[in-house]
Amino acid sequence: MKITQTRVKQYNSTYKTVIAIDGVPVCITRSNKRASDIISYLSGYEVEINDGKLKKQLDKIRDKK
């Protein structure tokens, strides 16, 4: 499972961070701290994710590996 993090400029806005697993985009975040938390969670570390909907999706991905 290869996790990549790419910063993307939105039109007339700030940069967003796109997290992809094996080349498939999984989620978009505003800050690098949040992106770091998501990557750590996918890697198997215990990190608190407050968004329940996102956590369910990340659990599905984490269980596949």
Side-chain angles (χ1 to χ4, degrees), residues 16-44:
K16 304 289 178 162
T17 303
V18 177
I19 300 172
I21 298 176
D22 296 329
V24 179
V26 174
C27 64
I28 299 173
T29 64
R30 293 183 193 170
S31 68
N32 286 333
K33 169 72 170 112
R34 179 123 168 115
S36 174
D37 288 345
I38 291 171
I39 291 171
S40 297
Y41 187 77
L42 288 172
S43 297

Side-chain angles (χ1 to χ4, degrees), residues 7-19:
R7 290 186 45 95
V8 178
K9 174 85 168 135
Q10 283 192 330
Y11 181 74
N12 286 340
S13 182
T14 60
Y15 283 91
K16 304 289 178 162
T17 303
V18 177
I19 300 172

